[in-house]
Amino acid sequence: MNALHYLKYFLFHAIGLLAAVAILAGGAWITFGLVAVLVIYLIGDAVCGDDISTPRFNYPGILTVQLWLALPLLAFIVFSAVWSVSSGDLFSFGLALSQLTGYDLIAARDATFVGHYLSTWIITGLMIGMVGTITAHELTHRTWDPVSMLVGRWLLAFSFDTIFSIEHVYGHHRYVSTREDPATAPRGRNVYFHILASTLKGNLSAWQIERKRLARKGHALFGWRNAVIRGHLMSLLLVLAAYAIGGPAAALFFTACALWGKALLEIVNYMEHYGMVRNPATPVQPRHSWNTNKRISSWAMFNLTRHSHHHAQGEVPYQDLKPFADAPMMIGGYLTTIIVAMIPPLWHKLMTPKVLAWDRHYASAEERQLAAEANARSGIRELMSHGAA
């Protein structure tokens, strides 16, 4: 096995460290770091093409450790961000790094123009989503591995979203691309409405799943065995840690970063299954997810991009997912598609033809009927005819 196939997944960690260094450097370096991260994803996906390789890994334990490393990495990024908006220097963190590097981090922090803190918020939320949620997505599917589950749930705590480990695995994967799934966006829906609707319905779904699980086992609903309650307490602990670092302002800043990270998850949910239809009584097939094989997104996101195979076989580890080049394809790589999704007029202009093409080329006979009903509800064909006129 070529070592490069293992090393390529460390691109994920390199981008996280780049973000942390930019935050700690302060001033314009924060904004430069944010731009660098965007360029890596956007330009990288545009010029580096697709990765359709499916190598065989003889040492999968290395790949698991790469996933676990996301937790200390994310903790360092978030600590750095919270420290950067604080006035104190907890544990003499800034002083120690300044002495080690010869760069005065505290002076750079104190001289940072307030506008650059917007960049800190954006890049920290991006890292919570990309380093935290993406890795947790892989780890919390490994329900047989308590270490992976623990690491995954702590990663999700940074976005106030530990319920994802419940609703996603036991709800979303069962009902994906149906009207019963909170995470699947129906045709015509606005992404900003979807963020709110999917968050609320996802939490309610997780609560019901956990209630039924506890009832089957004969446990009380309100108690330490309730994973929903435990998860929210984990997130609360992180807010309190931010408060300890920098007081109320730091706690509020972390909360804003966490909510932005959570919003990113729902944007990704929105674009991964937008407009798909399926009878919940039929098996999930690769055609029920939008896929992409863009090289940089695949390497830096642990093959989350190969979403069609993931939903067809949710138990398959990320390194073994196949590219499924004949699956329905996204607009571009993940960050490119996220940005397009955040501009609703552009999203609908680009996605409506894709959705209608899905109806023609991918849908079963039953799904074409479901699609026709969905089009009628959303007015999607009327939108197309107006655009053509």
Side-chain angles (χ1 to χ4, degrees):
M1 163 57 63
N2 191 329
L4 288 176
H5 285 302
Y6 292 90
L7 291 174
K8 66 185 181 183
Y9 293 118
F10 279 112
L11 177 61
F12 165 95
H13 306 83
I15 292 172
L17 288 173
L18 169 63
V21 169
I23 291 168
L24 290 172
W29 288 111
I30 306 169
T31 301
F32 291 153
L34 172 60
V35 171
V37 170
L38 295 176
V39 166
I40 289 170
Y41 282 105
L42 300 178
I43 305 302
D45 277 337
V47 303
C48 292
D50 291 350
D51 177 14
I52 56 172
S53 64
T54 54
R56 183 174 180 271
F57 291 90
N58 296 320
Y59 305 101
I62 295 174
L63 301 169
T64 298
V65 171
Q66 284 178 304
L67 295 169
W68 291 349
L69 286 174
L71 183 55
L73 176 59
L74 182 60
F76 179 64
I77 294 168
V78 172
F79 178 87
S80 300
V82 172
W83 176 88
S84 76
V85 301
S86 306
S87 57
D89 187 23
L90 187 68
F91 305 133
S92 298
F93 171 77
L95 177 62
L97 271 185
S98 297
Q99 292 174 341
L100 180 66
T101 63
Y103 182 85
D104 194 337
L105 274 69
I106 296 175
R109 178 188 69 177
D110 295 344
T112 296
F113 172 63
V114 66
H116 291 303
Y117 288 120
L118 177 62
S119 297
T120 305
W121 171 68
I122 294 172
I123 198 170
T124 304
L126 277 173
M127 292 303 105
I128 288 174
M130 293 178 174
V131 176
T133 306
I134 287 174
T135 316
H137 169 261
E138 174 71 21
L139 290 172
T140 54
H141 269 285
R142 304 181 180 193
T143 54
W144 62 89
D145 180 2
V147 174
S148 291
M149 287 295 297
L150 180 63
V151 173
R153 278 175 59 82
W154 271 111
L155 287 168
L156 291 169
F158 282 87
S159 58
F160 301 165
D161 201 29
T162 53
I163 65 99
F164 180 87
S165 64
I166 301 169
E167 203 289 321
H168 177 85
V169 176
Y170 301 106
H172 174 61
H173 268 258
R174 178 180 180 183
Y175 294 110
V176 65
S177 298
T178 73
R179 298 181 70 181
E180 286 80 3
D181 177 34
T184 298
R187 302 173 184 205
R189 174 177 284 183
N190 179 290
V191 67
Y192 299 102
F193 176 80
H194 182 75
I195 292 170
L196 295 174
S198 183
T199 297
L200 293 173
K201 292 181 180 178
N203 273 273
L204 290 173
S205 174
W207 182 261
Q208 291 303 320
I209 292 169
E210 186 67 358
R211 181 184 62 79
K212 292 175 183 177
R213 183 188 74 85
L214 292 169
R216 285 197 307 270
K217 292 180 175 293
H219 299 315
L221 178 60
F222 294 96
W224 67 270
R225 289 187 176 91
N226 188 314
V228 174
I229 295 174
R230 288 202 317 272
H232 289 317
L233 290 175
M234 291 161 68
S235 294
L236 178 60
L237 186 61
L238 292 177
V239 175
L240 293 175
Y243 182 90
I245 295 169
L252 286 173
F253 177 77
F254 169 69
T255 299
C257 292
L259 292 175
W260 166 219
K262 167 59 177 172
L264 272 173
L265 164 68
E266 298 302 351
I267 296 170
V268 169
N269 277 335
Y270 177 84
M271 69 195 208
E272 284 175 340
H273 305 285
Y274 175 83
M276 299 290 189
V277 295
R278 180 179 68 89
N279 181 340
T282 62
V284 179
Q285 299 291 336
R287 67 175 182 271
H288 295 123
S289 303
W290 296 104
N291 202 60
T292 181
N293 294 313
K294 293 299 182 184
R295 192 178 306 274
I296 300 302
S297 285
S298 296
W299 292 0
M301 296 183 180
F302 296 120
N303 280 342
L304 177 70
T305 51
R306 299 181 175 186
H307 216 60
S308 292
H309 189 189
H310 170 68
H311 266 282
Q313 293 178 284
E315 73 283 358
V316 174
Y318 74 92
Q319 69 269 17
D320 295 331
L321 293 173
K322 294 180 173 58
F324 280 41
D326 57 346
M329 291 292 166
M330 290 182 185
I331 291 167
Y334 260 59
L335 193 55
T336 302
T337 308
I338 286 171
I339 292 172
V340 172
M342 294 176 70
I343 309 171
L346 179 60
W347 171 263
H348 292 297
K349 180 178 180 180
L350 295 176
M351 280 303 295
T352 296
K354 280 183 168 287
V355 169
L356 294 176
W358 185 89
D359 296 348
R360 295 190 299 271
H361 302 302
Y362 292 98
S364 66
E366 180 186 27
E367 288 166 350
R368 289 193 188 97
Q369 179 59 41
L370 293 172
E373 295 168 4
N375 290 338
R377 285 192 300 270
S378 66
I380 193 170
R381 290 192 182 276
E382 286 79 358
L383 289 173
M384 284 293 290
S385 63
H386 287 316

